[in-house]
Amino acid sequence: EDQVTQSPEALRLQEGESSSLNCSYTVSGLRGLFWYRQDPGKGPEFLFTLYSAGEEKEKERLKATLTKKESFLHITAPKPEDSATYLCAVQAGGSWGKLQFGAGTQVVVTP
Amino acid sequence: EAQVTQNPRYLITVTGKKLTVTCSQNMNHEYMSWYRQDPGLGLRQIYYSMNVEVTDKGDVPEGYKVSRKEKRNFPLILESPSPNQTSLYFCAFQSGGNYEQYFGPGTRLTVT
């Protein structure tokens, strides 16, 4: 069965204090790994798709990387507006369209 | 820009009173899906649709129905809602071959 585990559950950072979020996955035939940002009471906002090990994607202060077993979301010099819950999801090769989500990492960045 | 709209955004209802949550996309994406989000359980897929008249169960389909008569619309139907269906619901579409899914703003449902 496909599984996605995110750690830590919560992360409190000072503004400017870089850190990384982890997403470990087991899936039979990875079609894609996705990162989303979610603000309270709102829909997940798409950030990145990673398709194969070694791939990296960047957007502003965020950088996502992928290995065969896990993905990292690096937050460099975060600002308070980066506070959100970050969700990781995978889509397996045998289940087109079905996303399996992790529970998320809640990030709070204080000034 | 592709968008998803959901209505209503908030709904309080009573046990057993049938309700429909509408979902509409402004493009002609084939794939659409419904998720529910609950504290501690994350996002779970309810139903998905690959195209008009093609739907299939996700992980938690019990108590829900869907229909896909037109490509743009994918309503979620609760024939006899129960309190355990109190949740935050999201509709999503998948953008072509990139497999990326884009989510609507959510519908917060409370069943008393």
Side-chain angles (χ1 to χ4, degrees):
Chain A
E1 183 180 317
D2 303 335
Q3 279 198 328
V4 181
T5 304
Q6 291 187 246
S7 61
E9 290 184 10
L11 190 59
R12 193 172 185 89
L13 301 171
Q14 291 268 351
E15 185 171 3
E17 179 188 1
S18 301
S19 189
S20 295
L21 283 54
N22 178 265
C23 172
S24 297
Y25 65 92
T26 54
V27 63
S28 48
L30 181 70
R31 189 186 297 275
L33 184 141
F34 310 89
W35 282 99
Y36 289 85
R37 170 199 168 116
Q38 187 176 26
D39 294 303
K42 296 193 174 181
E45 175 189 342
F46 171 77
L47 293 174
F48 304 110
T49 306
L50 300 167
Y51 296 103
S52 57
E55 192 174 357
E56 298 182 352
K57 293 271 179 76
E58 277 190 78
K59 180 180 179 180
E60 296 181 353
R61 294 176 294 281
L62 301 177
K63 179 179 177 180
T65 62
L66 181 66
T67 71
K68 288 188 177 180
K69 293 184 178 179
E70 57 192 350
S71 177
F72 293 94
L73 184 66
H74 308 278
I75 310 178
T76 302
K79 298 182 178 182
E81 52 261 43
D82 294 322
S83 297
T85 296
Y86 292 86
L87 302 170
C88 171
V90 297
Q91 189 170 128
S95 54
W96 196 89
K98 181 178 177 180
L99 287 182
Q100 183 77 36
F101 278 87
T105 294
Q106 185 178 24
V107 175
V108 174
V109 182
T110 56
Chain B
E1 180 187 340
Q3 286 188 336
V4 180
T5 56
Q6 295 180 227
N7 282 294
R9 296 289 316 281
Y10 303 91
L11 180 60
I12 300 174
T13 189
V14 296
T15 298
K17 185 176 180 182
K18 181 180 177 179
L19 66 92
T20 299
V21 183
T22 64
C23 171
S24 181
Q25 53 154 319
N26 64 349
M27 306 287 277
N28 271 325
H29 297 292
E30 293 177 346
Y31 177 89
M32 297 183 75
S33 184
W34 276 102
Y35 295 83
R36 62 178 287 175
Q37 187 173 37
D38 303 289
L41 296 176
L43 276 156
R44 294 177 292 167
Q45 190 179 50
I46 304 170
Y47 268 95
Y48 63 96
S49 170
M50 308 280 276
N51 210 328
V52 174
E53 303 291 2
V54 182
T55 63
D56 207 347
K57 297 177 181 179
D59 293 321
V60 288
E62 295 77 22
Y64 303 95
K65 284 176 58 178
V66 292
S67 72
R68 189 91 182 271
K69 292 182 169 51
E70 309 166 272
K71 195 171 269 191
R72 295 194 172 198
N73 297 317
F74 189 42
L76 179 69
I77 303 155
L78 285 71
E79 295 267 1
S80 181
S82 62
N84 65 12
Q85 292 178 298
T86 293
S87 188
L88 182 57
Y89 290 87
F90 292 103
C91 179
F93 70 87
Q94 181 157 307
S95 173
N98 291 334
Y99 314 120
E100 299 156 5
Q101 293 192 15
Y102 294 87
F103 287 78
T107 294
R108 186 167 292 282
L109 172 66
T110 301
V111 184
T112 61

